[in-house]
Amino acid sequence: DIQMSQSPSSLSASVGDRVTITCRASQSISTYLNWYQQKPGKAPMLLIYAASILQSGVPSRFSGSGSGTDFTLTISSLQPEDFATYYCQQSYNTLRTFGQGTKVEIK
Amino acid sequence: QVQLQESGPGLVKPSGTLSLTCAVSGASISNSNWCSWVRQPPGKGLEWIGEIYHSGSTNYTPSLKSRVTISVDKSKNQLSLKLSSVTAADTAVYYCAREEALTGRPLGIWGPGTKVTVSS
């Protein structure tokens, strides 16, 4: 199995802050890396696919980068609606795996 | 637009079988890409359970493979999940999700989820 690890597990930030979340794969996954946002009581929502492509309708303050084993999700200016948990997920092989999640909380 | 809706018993007894369905609307499951089941225990992260293609081909996560069956019913335009020999550890919100025909094979459409509690 390909293991995915995210850091940090949680962070506190203020509105307007730049936030960066990292995701590391246990082996190279090329750019088969997707990011999801989940708000309490709701289903996850796709933010970014193929490491850096913004899903339609997602604000441009979200961006993704990386390839191989190391990836980042950046929120350029945190907005009140961005407080949520973020998950990375690999689709490189037939067994998809998620990172453990990063909870973004209000400072 | 394509929508997914999970349904099934909210309470299952220990050692029993959890059975859920995911109804697909707005598109034919016969033309869909892989559809996955994902679960989330209370207060915890997402766990991918497995996936099925409209042809019936399946992939399962190794830790659950011996207990899981995912199937598709084209006549009803739905997919199903069965998980046998359940314990309290299987208590979770269960989601179905559809892979989008995009680079990276992301899960682009999700159902709202259905909560399942394993308890006597």
Side-chain angles (χ1 to χ4, degrees):
Chain A
D1 298 10
I2 299 175
Q3 308 301 318
M4 307 299 294
S5 68
Q6 290 180 232
S7 62
S9 296
S10 65
L11 64 91
S12 296
S14 301
V15 173
D17 284 353
R18 181 182 182 88
V19 168
T20 298
I21 298 168
T22 65
C23 177
R24 176 165 288 176
S26 60
Q27 66 181 74
S28 178
I29 58 170
S30 183
T31 57
Y32 282 85
L33 190 283
N34 308 304
W35 290 98
Y36 302 86
Q37 177 194 67
Q38 186 182 33
K39 296 183 179 179
K42 300 293 186 182
M45 180 185 79
L46 177 65
L47 289 178
I48 288 170
Y49 61 94
S52 62
I53 303 175
L54 206 62
Q55 170 70 333
S56 176
V58 173
S60 59
R61 61 180 179 274
F62 290 92
S63 63
S65 65
S67 67
T69 61
D70 294 315
F71 303 86
T72 60
L73 171 69
T74 300
I75 309 172
S76 60
S77 178
L78 198 65
Q79 298 302 300
E81 60 268 30
D82 301 336
F83 291 96
T85 301
Y86 295 85
Y87 294 92
C88 63
Q89 174 250 324
Q90 66 82 19
S91 298
Y92 180 75
N93 67 10
T94 55
L95 304 180
R96 304 173 189 259
T97 45
F98 290 91
Q100 81 276 19
T102 296
K103 187 174 184 179
V104 177
E105 299 176 299
I106 301 173
K107 196 175 208 177
Chain B
Q1 82 246 32
V2 181
Q3 292 185 316
L4 307 178
Q5 180 68 55
E6 307 89 347
S7 62
L11 182 64
V12 181
K13 293 188 186 305
S15 77
T17 297
L18 179 159
S19 296
L20 300 175
T21 60
C22 173
V24 180
S25 61
S28 170
I29 203 166
S30 296
N31 297 327
S32 292
N33 289 327
W34 294 87
C35 289
S36 286
W37 284 96
V38 177
R39 70 180 182 178
Q40 186 170 37
K44 297 188 177 181
L46 302 170
E47 179 183 23
W48 183 78
I49 299 170
E51 64 183 0
I52 189 164
Y53 197 58
H54 57 75
S55 64
S57 296
T58 54
N59 296 305
Y60 300 126
T61 192
S63 63
L64 297 175
K65 189 173 183 178
S66 63
R67 299 195 290 130
V68 172
T69 302
I70 297 175
S71 59
V72 64
D73 186 335
K74 295 180 184 179
S75 67
K76 294 182 179 179
N77 216 40
Q78 66 183 30
L79 57 148
S80 299
L81 169 72
K82 291 189 187 299
L83 181 65
S84 63
S85 304
V86 296
T87 69
D90 296 309
T91 293
V93 175
Y94 286 76
Y95 298 99
C96 60
R98 193 185 82 157
E99 176 187 301
E100 293 306 286
L102 300 169
T103 302
R105 305 179 58 220
L107 299 173
I109 299 175
W110 294 66
T114 188
K115 183 177 180 180
V116 178
T117 301
V118 177
S119 175
S120 55

